[in-house]
Amino acid sequence: MPYSFKSRVRFSEIGEDRKMSLNSILNYYQDCSNFHSEEVGLGLSHLEAKKRAWMLSSWQIRVDRYPVMGEPLVVSTWAYDFKGFYGYRNFLLKTEEGELLSYANSLWIFINTETGSPARIDSEEAEGYVTEEKFPMEYAPRKVPVPEAGDKMEGFTVKHHHLDVYHHVNNGQYIQMAREFLPEDFKISQMRAEYKKQAVLDSVVIPVVHKEENSFTVALCAEDEDPYAVVEFQ
């Protein structure tokens, strides 16, 4: 069975429209995957002892409806495949009555934290999760193309509040950074993100914004113009 937990939309999770923000949905998904790992005995302490970590490679999040302040929720996740050093995971966000609000696909890389290189997923990890059927959705490509042309915006420096337990910018923080360049009335129905390299404390991030008719792509780049992450909003 998928792992699930119940929650309720908090005041701290809503925007000016009194609806849950995209980043709050992403945080629920990220928390759910960590709760799942802890539940099956493969959480942070286990990984730290093995000198291993799961690093997010890409997101695809669809939102059919943003829940409102106080609305009860059920968040679910499950692994559906393991290949080499890749792990594949789906997520669902529903109301208590079963209305599907949002769903997502994600790709994770198993990392040796001593070398920073991908590590083959061993049997302990693969067998610790009971894989389920992948969710029936329209799966987008893993890679998000870097825009060939775009507006280069003013750069900014990574601060302590951007970092996670691995001392680099948390995947959700990149989405927050990229969202700053969307028009206020732009309603996000899908977000795709590809993470290419790690930004750390005091890294300089230079956004490059490319606009099309119904989408925005934001490349969050280093000073050498190589992207840390590329985020597409539709």
mmCIF file of all heavy atoms in Angstrom, residues 34-67:
data_model
loop_
_atom_site.group_PDB
_atom_site.id
_atom_site.type_symbol
_atom_site.label_atom_id
_atom_site.label_comp_id
_atom_site.label_asym_id
_atom_site.label_seq_id
_atom_site.Cartn_x
_atom_site.Cartn_y
_atom_site.Cartn_z
ATOM 1 N N ASN A 34 9.898 11.527 3.080
ATOM 2 C CA ASN A 34 10.762 11.317 4.249
ATOM 3 C C ASN A 34 10.056 10.514 5.339
ATOM 4 O O ASN A 34 10.659 9.634 5.957
ATOM 5 C CB ASN A 34 11.237 12.663 4.790
ATOM 6 C CG ASN A 34 12.415 13.221 4.014
ATOM 7 O OD1 ASN A 34 13.525 12.710 4.105
ATOM 8 N ND2 ASN A 34 12.174 14.254 3.221
ATOM 9 N N PHE A 35 8.778 10.799 5.574
ATOM 10 C CA PHE A 35 8.009 10.008 6.535
ATOM 11 C C PHE A 35 7.960 8.544 6.111
ATOM 12 O O PHE A 35 8.073 7.636 6.943
ATOM 13 C CB PHE A 35 6.588 10.553 6.669
ATOM 14 C CG PHE A 35 6.479 11.900 7.318
ATOM 15 C CD1 PHE A 35 5.343 12.679 7.128
ATOM 16 C CD2 PHE A 35 7.491 12.409 8.122
ATOM 17 C CE1 PHE A 35 5.223 13.926 7.725
ATOM 18 C CE2 PHE A 35 7.387 13.653 8.717
ATOM 19 C CZ PHE A 35 6.235 14.414 8.513
ATOM 20 N N HIS A 36 7.767 8.319 4.817
ATOM 21 C CA HIS A 36 7.725 6.952 4.296
ATOM 22 C C HIS A 36 9.037 6.236 4.579
ATOM 23 O O HIS A 36 9.055 5.095 5.075
ATOM 24 C CB HIS A 36 7.452 6.991 2.789
ATOM 25 C CG HIS A 36 7.277 5.654 2.169
ATOM 26 N ND1 HIS A 36 7.374 5.454 0.803
ATOM 27 C CD2 HIS A 36 7.029 4.426 2.698
ATOM 28 C CE1 HIS A 36 7.181 4.164 0.544
ATOM 29 N NE2 HIS A 36 6.978 3.530 1.667
ATOM 30 N N SER A 37 10.149 6.899 4.293
ATOM 31 C CA SER A 37 11.462 6.289 4.526
ATOM 32 C C SER A 37 11.676 5.981 6.002
ATOM 33 O O SER A 37 12.203 4.921 6.360
ATOM 34 C CB SER A 37 12.571 7.210 4.011
ATOM 35 O OG SER A 37 12.480 7.357 2.602
ATOM 36 N N GLU A 38 11.280 6.909 6.877
ATOM 37 C CA GLU A 38 11.417 6.670 8.316
ATOM 38 C C GLU A 38 10.547 5.484 8.744
ATOM 39 O O GLU A 38 10.960 4.664 9.565
ATOM 40 C CB GLU A 38 11.022 7.924 9.098
ATOM 41 C CG GLU A 38 11.918 9.139 8.865
ATOM 42 C CD GLU A 38 13.323 8.981 9.427
ATOM 43 O OE1 GLU A 38 13.526 8.137 10.319
ATOM 44 O OE2 GLU A 38 14.229 9.712 8.959
ATOM 45 N N GLU A 39 9.348 5.396 8.182
ATOM 46 C CA GLU A 39 8.408 4.336 8.548
ATOM 47 C C GLU A 39 8.972 2.951 8.248
ATOM 48 O O GLU A 39 8.751 1.996 9.000
ATOM 49 C CB GLU A 39 7.090 4.538 7.790
ATOM 50 C CG GLU A 39 6.002 3.533 8.090
ATOM 51 C CD GLU A 39 5.295 3.806 9.408
ATOM 52 O OE1 GLU A 39 5.539 4.874 10.018
ATOM 53 O OE2 GLU A 39 4.506 2.953 9.833
ATOM 54 N N VAL A 40 9.710 2.816 7.131
ATOM 55 C CA VAL A 40 10.243 1.503 6.748
ATOM 56 C C VAL A 40 11.681 1.300 7.220
ATOM 57 O O VAL A 40 12.347 0.341 6.818
ATOM 58 C CB VAL A 40 10.133 1.285 5.216
ATOM 59 C CG1 VAL A 40 8.681 1.315 4.775
ATOM 60 C CG2 VAL A 40 10.969 2.304 4.431
ATOM 61 N N GLY A 41 12.179 2.196 8.073
ATOM 62 C CA GLY A 41 13.510 2.029 8.645
ATOM 63 C C GLY A 41 14.654 2.437 7.740
ATOM 64 O O GLY A 41 15.799 2.035 7.965
ATOM 65 N N LEU A 42 14.350 3.257 6.730
ATOM 66 C CA LEU A 42 15.388 3.673 5.782
ATOM 67 C C LEU A 42 15.524 5.199 5.739
ATOM 68 O O LEU A 42 15.810 5.776 4.694
ATOM 69 C CB LEU A 42 15.047 3.145 4.376
ATOM 70 C CG LEU A 42 14.924 1.620 4.247
ATOM 71 C CD1 LEU A 42 14.448 1.233 2.854
ATOM 72 C CD2 LEU A 42 16.259 0.941 4.553
ATOM 73 N N GLY A 43 15.361 5.821 6.898
ATOM 74 C CA GLY A 43 15.363 7.271 6.976
ATOM 75 C C GLY A 43 16.746 7.897 7.089
ATOM 76 O O GLY A 43 17.772 7.280 6.771
ATOM 77 N N LEU A 44 16.773 9.127 7.590
ATOM 78 C CA LEU A 44 18.005 9.919 7.580
ATOM 79 C C LEU A 44 19.136 9.277 8.378
ATOM 80 O O LEU A 44 20.288 9.256 7.917
ATOM 81 C CB LEU A 44 17.720 11.319 8.121
ATOM 82 C CG LEU A 44 16.886 12.251 7.229
ATOM 83 C CD1 LEU A 44 16.609 13.555 7.954
ATOM 84 C CD2 LEU A 44 17.617 12.528 5.915
ATOM 85 N N SER A 45 18.854 8.760 9.563
ATOM 86 C CA SER A 45 19.917 8.163 10.382
ATOM 87 C C SER A 45 20.493 6.919 9.710
ATOM 88 O O SER A 45 21.710 6.698 9.719
ATOM 89 C CB SER A 45 19.376 7.810 11.772
ATOM 90 O OG SER A 45 18.987 8.969 12.470
ATOM 91 N N HIS A 46 19.615 6.107 9.132
ATOM 92 C CA HIS A 46 20.053 4.916 8.397
ATOM 93 C C HIS A 46 20.967 5.301 7.241
ATOM 94 O O HIS A 46 22.048 4.718 7.067
ATOM 95 C CB HIS A 46 18.817 4.168 7.882
ATOM 96 C CG HIS A 46 19.101 3.192 6.782
ATOM 97 N ND1 HIS A 46 19.578 1.915 7.022
ATOM 98 C CD2 HIS A 46 18.994 3.314 5.431
ATOM 99 C CE1 HIS A 46 19.741 1.293 5.865
ATOM 100 N NE2 HIS A 46 19.401 2.124 4.894
ATOM 101 N N LEU A 47 20.551 6.295 6.465
ATOM 102 C CA LEU A 47 21.345 6.710 5.312
ATOM 103 C C LEU A 47 22.667 7.342 5.745
ATOM 104 O O LEU A 47 23.710 7.099 5.125
ATOM 105 C CB LEU A 47 20.542 7.689 4.457
ATOM 106 C CG LEU A 47 19.345 7.101 3.720
ATOM 107 C CD1 LEU A 47 18.489 8.209 3.117
ATOM 108 C CD2 LEU A 47 19.802 6.138 2.620
ATOM 109 N N GLU A 48 22.627 8.133 6.802
ATOM 110 C CA GLU A 48 23.852 8.770 7.288
ATOM 111 C C GLU A 48 24.888 7.725 7.695
ATOM 112 O O GLU A 48 26.083 7.874 7.413
ATOM 113 C CB GLU A 48 23.519 9.676 8.461
ATOM 114 C CG GLU A 48 24.703 10.486 8.969
ATOM 115 C CD GLU A 48 24.321 11.431 10.092
ATOM 116 O OE1 GLU A 48 23.314 11.172 10.775
ATOM 117 O OE2 GLU A 48 25.035 12.417 10.282
ATOM 118 N N ALA A 49 24.432 6.649 8.347
ATOM 119 C CA ALA A 49 25.352 5.582 8.759
ATOM 120 C C ALA A 49 25.969 4.871 7.563
ATOM 121 O O ALA A 49 27.109 4.399 7.622
ATOM 122 C CB ALA A 49 24.611 4.578 9.639
ATOM 123 N N LYS A 50 25.240 4.801 6.465
ATOM 124 C CA LYS A 50 25.727 4.150 5.242
ATOM 125 C C LYS A 50 26.508 5.091 4.331
ATOM 126 O O LYS A 50 27.004 4.676 3.291
ATOM 127 C CB LYS A 50 24.551 3.576 4.449
ATOM 128 C CG LYS A 50 23.886 2.369 5.068
ATOM 129 C CD LYS A 50 22.742 1.850 4.199
ATOM 130 C CE LYS A 50 23.225 1.295 2.883
ATOM 131 N NZ LYS A 50 22.158 0.557 2.172
ATOM 132 N N LYS A 51 26.563 6.365 4.713
ATOM 133 C CA LYS A 51 27.190 7.392 3.857
ATOM 134 C C LYS A 51 26.465 7.485 2.509
ATOM 135 O O LYS A 51 27.073 7.576 1.449
ATOM 136 C CB LYS A 51 28.683 7.098 3.621
ATOM 137 C CG LYS A 51 29.492 6.843 4.873
ATOM 138 C CD LYS A 51 29.513 8.046 5.786
ATOM 139 C CE LYS A 51 30.417 7.806 6.995
ATOM 140 N NZ LYS A 51 30.376 8.937 7.946
ATOM 141 N N ARG A 52 25.148 7.491 2.596
ATOM 142 C CA ARG A 52 24.323 7.559 1.395
ATOM 143 C C ARG A 52 23.241 8.619 1.578
ATOM 144 O O ARG A 52 22.908 9.026 2.698
ATOM 145 C CB ARG A 52 23.654 6.209 1.100
ATOM 146 C CG ARG A 52 24.614 5.077 0.769
ATOM 147 C CD ARG A 52 25.284 5.296 -0.584
ATOM 148 N NE ARG A 52 26.104 4.160 -0.982
ATOM 149 C CZ ARG A 52 27.396 4.024 -0.708
ATOM 150 N NH1 ARG A 52 28.010 4.974 0.021
ATOM 151 N NH2 ARG A 52 28.078 2.984 -1.141
ATOM 152 N N ALA A 53 22.671 9.060 0.470
ATOM 153 C CA ALA A 53 21.565 10.018 0.496
ATOM 154 C C ALA A 53 20.787 9.887 -0.813
ATOM 155 O O ALA A 53 21.336 9.469 -1.841
ATOM 156 C CB ALA A 53 22.079 11.445 0.646
ATOM 157 N N TRP A 54 19.510 10.236 -0.737
ATOM 158 C CA TRP A 54 18.687 10.341 -1.945
ATOM 159 C C TRP A 54 18.630 11.808 -2.346
ATOM 160 O O TRP A 54 18.183 12.649 -1.574
ATOM 161 C CB TRP A 54 17.276 9.829 -1.686
ATOM 162 C CG TRP A 54 17.152 8.338 -1.588
ATOM 163 C CD1 TRP A 54 17.035 7.589 -0.458
ATOM 164 C CD2 TRP A 54 17.133 7.411 -2.682
ATOM 165 N NE1 TRP A 54 16.944 6.256 -0.775
ATOM 166 C CE2 TRP A 54 16.998 6.116 -2.135
ATOM 167 C CE3 TRP A 54 17.220 7.551 -4.064
ATOM 168 C CZ2 TRP A 54 16.950 4.972 -2.921
ATOM 169 C CZ3 TRP A 54 17.162 6.420 -4.856
ATOM 170 C CH2 TRP A 54 17.031 5.150 -4.292
ATOM 171 N N MET A 55 19.077 12.134 -3.558
ATOM 172 C CA MET A 55 19.031 13.493 -4.064
ATOM 173 C C MET A 55 18.028 13.573 -5.211
ATOM 174 O O MET A 55 18.026 12.728 -6.108
ATOM 175 C CB MET A 55 20.418 13.934 -4.564
ATOM 176 C CG MET A 55 21.481 13.967 -3.480
ATOM 177 S SD MET A 55 21.108 15.203 -2.213
ATOM 178 C CE MET A 55 22.504 14.965 -1.102
ATOM 179 N N LEU A 56 17.191 14.587 -5.165
ATOM 180 C CA LEU A 56 16.170 14.748 -6.190
ATOM 181 C C LEU A 56 16.789 15.196 -7.508
ATOM 182 O O LEU A 56 17.561 16.157 -7.545
ATOM 183 C CB LEU A 56 15.124 15.759 -5.729
ATOM 184 C CG LEU A 56 13.895 15.905 -6.600
ATOM 185 C CD1 LEU A 56 13.094 14.606 -6.653
ATOM 186 C CD2 LEU A 56 13.014 17.032 -6.079
ATOM 187 N N SER A 57 16.439 14.483 -8.572
ATOM 188 C CA SER A 57 16.918 14.833 -9.907
ATOM 189 C C SER A 57 15.893 15.637 -10.695
ATOM 190 O O SER A 57 16.246 16.563 -11.421
ATOM 191 C CB SER A 57 17.277 13.564 -10.690
ATOM 192 O OG SER A 57 17.640 13.871 -12.016
ATOM 193 N N SER A 58 14.606 15.287 -10.556
ATOM 194 C CA SER A 58 13.587 16.017 -11.310
ATOM 195 C C SER A 58 12.216 15.851 -10.675
ATOM 196 O O SER A 58 11.926 14.842 -10.028
ATOM 197 C CB SER A 58 13.537 15.550 -12.771
ATOM 198 O OG SER A 58 13.106 14.204 -12.870
ATOM 199 N N TRP A 59 11.385 16.853 -10.880
ATOM 200 C CA TRP A 59 9.988 16.892 -10.446
ATOM 201 C C TRP A 59 9.089 17.079 -11.661
ATOM 202 O O TRP A 59 9.437 17.809 -12.601
ATOM 203 C CB TRP A 59 9.715 18.099 -9.566
ATOM 204 C CG TRP A 59 9.913 18.049 -8.103
ATOM 205 C CD1 TRP A 59 10.786 18.836 -7.375
ATOM 206 C CD2 TRP A 59 9.214 17.256 -7.137
ATOM 207 N NE1 TRP A 59 10.666 18.556 -6.038
ATOM 208 C CE2 TRP A 59 9.705 17.592 -5.858
ATOM 209 C CE3 TRP A 59 8.210 16.279 -7.240
ATOM 210 C CZ2 TRP A 59 9.235 17.006 -4.695
ATOM 211 C CZ3 TRP A 59 7.747 15.694 -6.078
ATOM 212 C CH2 TRP A 59 8.251 16.047 -4.834
ATOM 213 N N GLN A 60 7.906 16.528 -11.596
ATOM 214 C CA GLN A 60 6.779 16.937 -12.441
ATOM 215 C C GLN A 60 5.560 16.955 -11.531
ATOM 216 O O GLN A 60 5.114 15.910 -11.067
ATOM 217 C CB GLN A 60 6.548 15.980 -13.611
ATOM 218 C CG GLN A 60 5.357 16.393 -14.490
ATOM 219 C CD GLN A 60 4.967 15.326 -15.496
ATOM 220 O OE1 GLN A 60 5.593 14.265 -15.564
ATOM 221 N NE2 GLN A 60 3.939 15.589 -16.272
ATOM 222 N N ILE A 61 5.034 18.136 -11.257
ATOM 223 C CA ILE A 61 3.893 18.284 -10.365
ATOM 224 C C ILE A 61 2.732 18.898 -11.131
ATOM 225 O O ILE A 61 2.877 19.963 -11.747
ATOM 226 C CB ILE A 61 4.237 19.161 -9.149
ATOM 227 C CG1 ILE A 61 5.360 18.517 -8.312
ATOM 228 C CG2 ILE A 61 3.001 19.401 -8.279
ATOM 229 C CD1 ILE A 61 5.796 19.352 -7.118
ATOM 230 N N ARG A 62 1.593 18.222 -11.112
ATOM 231 C CA ARG A 62 0.358 18.731 -11.694
ATOM 232 C C ARG A 62 -0.581 19.145 -10.566
ATOM 233 O O ARG A 62 -0.669 18.471 -9.548
ATOM 234 C CB ARG A 62 -0.330 17.650 -12.524
ATOM 235 C CG ARG A 62 0.422 17.233 -13.774
ATOM 236 C CD ARG A 62 0.263 18.213 -14.906
ATOM 237 N NE ARG A 62 -1.137 18.514 -15.191
ATOM 238 C CZ ARG A 62 -1.517 19.366 -16.166
ATOM 239 N NH1 ARG A 62 -0.611 19.985 -16.914
ATOM 240 N NH2 ARG A 62 -2.799 19.595 -16.363
ATOM 241 N N VAL A 63 -1.292 20.263 -10.761
ATOM 242 C CA VAL A 63 -2.271 20.734 -9.781
ATOM 243 C C VAL A 63 -3.603 20.958 -10.487
ATOM 244 O O VAL A 63 -3.701 21.791 -11.388
ATOM 245 C CB VAL A 63 -1.819 22.033 -9.086
ATOM 246 C CG1 VAL A 63 -2.845 22.442 -8.023
ATOM 247 C CG2 VAL A 63 -0.442 21.862 -8.449
ATOM 248 N N ASP A 64 -4.622 20.202 -10.079
ATOM 249 C CA ASP A 64 -5.976 20.387 -10.620
ATOM 250 C C ASP A 64 -6.742 21.448 -9.838
ATOM 251 O O ASP A 64 -7.539 22.191 -10.394
ATOM 252 C CB ASP A 64 -6.753 19.070 -10.582
ATOM 253 C CG ASP A 64 -6.221 18.050 -11.578
ATOM 254 O OD1 ASP A 64 -5.486 18.453 -12.513
ATOM 255 O OD2 ASP A 64 -6.522 16.853 -11.428
ATOM 256 N N ARG A 65 -6.523 21.494 -8.543
ATOM 257 C CA ARG A 65 -7.161 22.508 -7.693
ATOM 258 C C ARG A 65 -6.288 22.757 -6.472
ATOM 259 O O ARG A 65 -5.800 21.808 -5.858
ATOM 260 C CB ARG A 65 -8.556 22.061 -7.245
ATOM 261 C CG ARG A 65 -9.242 23.092 -6.323
ATOM 262 C CD ARG A 65 -10.688 22.742 -6.029
ATOM 263 N NE ARG A 65 -10.863 21.661 -5.078
ATOM 264 C CZ ARG A 65 -10.792 21.796 -3.748
ATOM 265 N NH1 ARG A 65 -10.510 22.978 -3.201
ATOM 266 N NH2 ARG A 65 -11.000 20.755 -2.949
ATOM 267 N N TYR A 66 -6.100 24.042 -6.132
ATOM 268 C CA TYR A 66 -5.345 24.392 -4.933
ATOM 269 C C TYR A 66 -6.295 24.400 -3.740
ATOM 270 O O TYR A 66 -7.283 25.139 -3.743
ATOM 271 C CB TYR A 66 -4.691 25.768 -5.100
ATOM 272 C CG TYR A 66 -3.528 25.772 -6.056
ATOM 273 C CD1 TYR A 66 -3.722 26.002 -7.425
ATOM 274 C CD2 TYR A 66 -2.236 25.531 -5.613
ATOM 275 C CE1 TYR A 66 -2.652 25.997 -8.312
ATOM 276 C CE2 TYR A 66 -1.154 25.530 -6.499
ATOM 277 C CZ TYR A 66 -1.383 25.757 -7.845
ATOM 278 O OH TYR A 66 -0.310 25.753 -8.723
ATOM 279 N N PRO A 67 -6.035 23.587 -2.714
ATOM 280 C CA PRO A 67 -6.929 23.553 -1.560
ATOM 281 C C PRO A 67 -6.880 24.867 -0.780
ATOM 282 O O PRO A 67 -5.914 25.629 -0.867
ATOM 283 C CB PRO A 67 -6.395 22.395 -0.725
ATOM 284 C CG PRO A 67 -4.963 22.265 -1.127
ATOM 285 C CD PRO A 67 -4.900 22.655 -2.570
#
